[in-house]
Amino acid sequence: MTEARVRRPAPAWQSGEVVEVIEETPETKSLRIRLPEPAAFLPGQYFNIRIPVEGRPRPIQRAYSIGSSPLPSVEVIEVGVKEMVGGLVSPVLVRNTPVGSTLEVRGPYGSFTWTEEDGGPVLMVAAGSGVVPFMGMIRYQRERGTSFPMHLLFSSKAGEFVIYRDELDELVSSTGWLGVSHTFTRDPGSPIPRFRRRIDKEMVTEIFAEVRPRIAFVCGPPEMVDDVERALLEAGMDPAAIKTEKYD
Ligand SMILES: Cc1cc2nc3c(=O)[nH]c(=O)nc-3n(C[C@H](O)[C@H](O)[C@H](O)COP(=O)(O)OP(=O)(O)OC[C@H]3O[C@@H](n4cnc5c(N)ncnc54)[C@H](O)[C@@H]3O)c2cc1C
């Protein structure tokens, strides 16, 4: 596509078409959405999605990180949505938005971004769907052809709940610049993870000492983000080099 067709930024709502649905885990799906008005975005940014909800006068909107890379194309974006049981929007996106559906989306937004200008080594700390923006950054680096060291500390409930598991495994073995340390909170017998508990200070300190990050990103539930940020600061990380995104 030509630069002239890429708007920056894209503040207006537009109707995207769901062109692919990927079942990542029992509770998480990736939706690939074709945008009629593609917008340039940076790896790690997010879009808002709004849907009509019965009994509500106006559509309800939620933020979803972009899991895809802006390279080679921004015409189709991918979001990764984890179903929050009892929630208004995520259950509809996960269970009732098949290929061919239309979704109102608006974006991109956010400064939780990485490009080659930020350099590395990069430490990424994620819990659950907090991995989505990191996938955007990792896929971007693969497409861009740079090789800054990236390490993902990733907390999941158990093996079957690891979002992007096969792709992460493939990238770890094929790239040479990606490392992943899994921690599982509810699968004590699994041989896969390096750790078997929630992300805590000791874990962050251990990974920090190995990775020696120039920049660190933390994404997930607010409490986890705060705890990890504190642990990174105590480990000696420059506050200006820590970026956080809270999924509240
Ligand atoms: C910048 C940003 C990026 C994000 N990116 C992603 C992403 O990539 N993937 C992703 O999955 N999520 C992401 N999120 C989270 C997402 O925006 C939604 O918050 C999430 O999907 C839940 O929305 P929901 O409408 O389904 O649930 P909500 O309706 O907001 O409800 C959330 C939870 O609270 C409970 N609840 C609601 N009301 C009550 C009540 N009155 N009393 C008790 N409990 C209640 C519900 O049962 C549900 O479990 C992101 C958030 C932010 C801020």
Side-chain angles (χ1 to χ4, degrees), residues 123 201-209 212-213 227-238 242:
L123 173 60
K201 187 182 163 187
E202 289 67 36
M203 201 183 287
V204 173
T205 308
E206 187 178 324
I207 297 285
F208 177 86
R212 293 277 151 209
D227 288 350
V228 172
E229 184 176 22
R230 202 174 308 117
L232 287 170
L233 291 171
E234 285 174 22
M237 188 110 199
D238 174 3
I242 305 173

Side-chain angles (χ1 to χ4, degrees), residues 28 46-47 60-67 79-93 129-130 132-133 219 245-248:
T28 302
Y46 68 91
F47 266 66
I60 304 295
Q61 90 176 42
R62 298 285 184 259
Y64 292 99
S65 302
I66 308 166
V79 292
V81 184
K82 178 183 167 191
E83 178 176 4
M84 298 270 286
V85 176
L88 287 175
V89 175
S90 62
V92 177
L93 295 178
S129 58
V132 174
C219 185
E245 186 97 286
K246 295 179 180 177
Y247 281 6
D248 44 11

Side-chain angles (χ1 to χ4, degrees), residues 168-181:
L168 286 170
D169 283 352
E170 193 278 316
L171 285 163
V172 167
S173 53
S174 68
T175 64
W177 46 257
L178 181 66
V180 179
S181 295

